[in-house]
C-alpha cells in the first residue's frame, strides 16, 4: 500500500483502539491533523442514542465505519439486536429508521446517513461525496479484498502495483481530504477500507 494511502487510513486508529501495528513515513504534522479531526472518535462505537436509527452490526464487520460516519455527522444511532437483523440475506451491517426504511450495504447506509445532513452542502460537494462512497464500495473493495468465486476473501490486491491506488496516493499527496470543504463521509468510506487491510492481513 502506498505511503499516502497508509497514512490516510491511519485516521481510523483514533476511532478503533485495536492492536494494529504497521509503519508509515508520512509526516507527523499530517498525522496530528488527522488525529485532531477524530480526537473524540474513540467513543463512537459505544454511543447509543435514540433518534429512530438502528444499526445492526458488530466490530468484526464493516458496521464500525457506519458508527464512525454517523458520529462525524452528529447523527445518533442505537445498536440493534442481531437476532432481529432485518437484512434480507441475514448479513451485517443493516440499518432501519422510524419511517419503515431499511438500508443495507455499508456504502448505502453511509449515503442514507449523509442524506440527513446533505442539504447543508452544495450540490457539487454532495455529488463528490456520493461518488467517493460508491467508489470505495465498487472499486476500492475489490482491490483491497481478493475473493474466491464462492466469495471468501483470501488475500489483498494491495500487495501488487495498482494504477487506481497510485492515483489515490497522488491525490492524497496534494490535499488533506478527498473532497474540498473539509473532512466528509468520503474520507470515512475510503479510509475504512484501507485500514481494514492491515487489520486482516498483518
Amino acid at each position: 500500500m502506498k505511503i499516502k494511502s497508509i497514512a490516510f487510513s491511519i485516521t481510523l486508529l483514533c476511532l478503533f483502539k485495536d492492536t494494529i501495528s504497521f509503519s508509515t513515513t508520512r509526516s507527523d504534522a499530517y498525522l496530528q491533523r488527522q488525529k485532531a479531526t477524530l480526537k473524540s472518535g474513540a467513543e463512537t462505537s459505544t454511543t447509543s442514542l435514540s433518534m429512530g436509527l438502528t444499526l445492526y452490526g458488530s466490530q468484526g464487520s464493516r458496521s464500525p465505519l457506519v458508527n464512525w460516519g454517523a458520529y462525524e455527522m452528529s447523527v445518533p444511532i442505537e445498536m440493534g439486536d442481531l437476532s432481529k437483523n432485518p437484512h434480507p440475506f441475514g448479513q451485517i451491517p443493516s440499518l432501519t429508521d422510524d419511517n419503515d426504511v431499511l438500508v443495507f450495504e455499508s456504502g448505502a447506509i453511509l449515503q442514507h446517513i449523509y442524506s440527513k445532513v446533505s442539504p447543508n452542502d452544495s450540490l457539487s460537494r454532495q455529488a463528490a461525496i456520493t461518488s467517493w462512497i460508491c467508489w470505495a464500495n465498487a472499486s476500492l473493495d475489490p482491490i483491497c479484498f481478493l475473493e474466491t468465486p464462492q466469495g471468501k476473501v483470501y488475500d489483498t490486491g494491495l500487495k501488487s502495483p495498482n494504477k487506481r491506488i497510485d492515483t489515490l496516493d497522488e491525490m492524497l499527496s496534494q490535499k488533506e481530504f478527498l473532497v474540498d470543504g473539509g473532512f466528509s463521509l468520503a474520507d470515512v468510506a475510503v479510509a475504512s477500507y484501507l485500514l481494514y487491510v492491515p487489520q486482516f492481513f498483518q
Side-chain angles (χ1 to χ4, degrees):
M1 195 189 306
K2 293 291 185 174
I3 290 173
K4 307 298 183 183
S5 299
I6 294 174
F8 182 70
S9 67
I10 226 169
T11 58
L12 273 174
L13 292 177
C14 295
L15 177 61
F16 308 121
K17 294 186 176 180
D18 298 305
T19 54
I20 305 166
S21 176
F22 59 100
S23 62
T24 176
T25 58
R26 187 72 184 269
S27 70
D28 289 340
Y30 173 86
L31 296 179
Q32 289 304 316
R33 289 197 302 272
Q34 298 284 35
K35 289 178 180 179
T37 301
L38 299 177
K39 62 183 178 180
S40 300
E43 300 173 0
T44 301
S45 60
T46 58
T47 298
S48 182
L49 300 174
S50 178
M51 196 185 81
L53 294 180
T54 301
L55 175 66
Y56 298 84
S58 70
Q59 288 298 318
S61 70
R62 292 171 184 170
S63 60
L65 74 87
V66 176
N67 289 98
W68 181 24
Y71 177 88
E72 294 295 341
M73 297 297 102
S74 298
V75 175
I77 59 176
E78 60 181 13
M79 301 306 296
D81 181 351
L82 288 181
S83 68
K84 300 178 181 178
N85 177 20
H87 193 295
F89 299 105
Q91 299 172 313
I92 53 177
S94 67
L95 180 140
T96 61
D97 68 21
D98 286 341
N99 297 315
D100 291 326
V101 171
L102 167 61
V103 192
F104 54 95
E105 294 297 326
S106 57
I109 296 173
L110 281 184
Q111 189 60 45
H112 183 67
I113 289 172
Y114 181 49
S115 72
K116 303 292 185 181
V117 297
S118 59
N120 298 324
D121 285 341
S122 67
L123 290 178
S124 62
R125 181 170 165 84
Q126 289 180 42
I129 291 172
T130 296
S131 296
W132 278 110
I133 291 174
C134 291
W135 182 83
N137 276 69
S139 297
L140 184 57
D141 182 326
I143 295 172
C144 292
F145 303 106
L146 301 178
E147 297 183 353
T148 66
Q150 292 72 37
K152 182 177 180 180
V153 175
Y154 66 90
D155 205 352
T156 174
L158 290 177
K159 293 178 180 179
S160 303
N162 186 283
K163 290 183 178 180
R164 290 180 180 178
I165 298 302
D166 289 343
T167 299
L168 177 64
D169 197 55
E170 178 62 25
M171 288 178 165
L172 293 173
S173 71
Q174 299 175 20
K175 56 185 179 181
E176 188 172 9
F177 302 114
L178 289 171
V179 177
D180 292 341
F183 184 85
S184 72
L185 289 184
D187 303 297
V188 171
V190 173
S192 295
Y193 280 104
L194 294 175
L195 180 59
Y196 283 146
V197 171
Q199 283 185 299
F200 293 150
F201 304 103
Q202 293 189 50

